[in-house]
Amino acid sequence: QVQLVESGGGLVQAGGSLRLSCAASGRTFRRYGWFRQAPGKEREFVAACNQSGGSTFYADSVKGRFTISRDNAKNTVYLQMNSLRPEDTAVYYCAADSTSRTIYYGEYPYWGQGTQVTVSS
């Protein structure tokens, strides 16, 4: 059974940092993605990485502030978020794919339940 479990969300002041984790189980995934959805808005792409973590891709809005990484020994992917802004407030979702699609492909078959990130001004 495939499971993606996010953790690490919370309340932080603007300019602060958080690290989200996504623990995966059930199969080997070749690429991971992080997405977010703010109230009243559509879900948007944040970051993606390949199996080794050597190839990464970021939304322009988070480039230079967020870093995606993975620990294959722990089957876990991380999203380090620095210099957080109030507009980063959203529910953050981890997504995973076991196929060989490129990290630029926006569709994923597996999703976590989400973790809330709130950035106060």
Side-chain angles (χ1 to χ4, degrees), residues 23-45:
S25 60
R27 64 178 58 191
T28 299
F29 296 105
R30 292 193 176 187
R31 64 187 184 107
Y32 285 101
W34 284 98
F35 291 75
R36 66 187 182 186
Q37 187 167 20
K41 295 187 176 181
E42 293 189 355
R43 186 175 63 197
E44 64 174 359
F45 167 79

Side-chain angles (χ1 to χ4, degrees), residues 4-11 18 20-22 33-47 62 66 79 81 84-95 111-119:
L4 300 174
V5 180
E6 300 100 332
S7 60
L11 173 65
L18 282 174
L20 305 183
S21 300
C22 173
W34 284 98
F35 291 75
R36 66 187 182 186
Q37 187 167 20
K41 295 187 176 181
E42 293 189 355
R43 186 175 63 197
E44 64 174 359
F45 167 79
V46 175
V62 306
F66 291 11
L79 184 68
M81 306 186 295
L84 282 162
R85 304 167 180 168
E87 55 263 39
D88 294 319
T89 295
V91 177
Y92 283 71
Y93 297 91
C94 171
W111 292 84
Q113 82 290 349
T115 185
Q116 176 71 46
V117 171
T118 303
V119 184

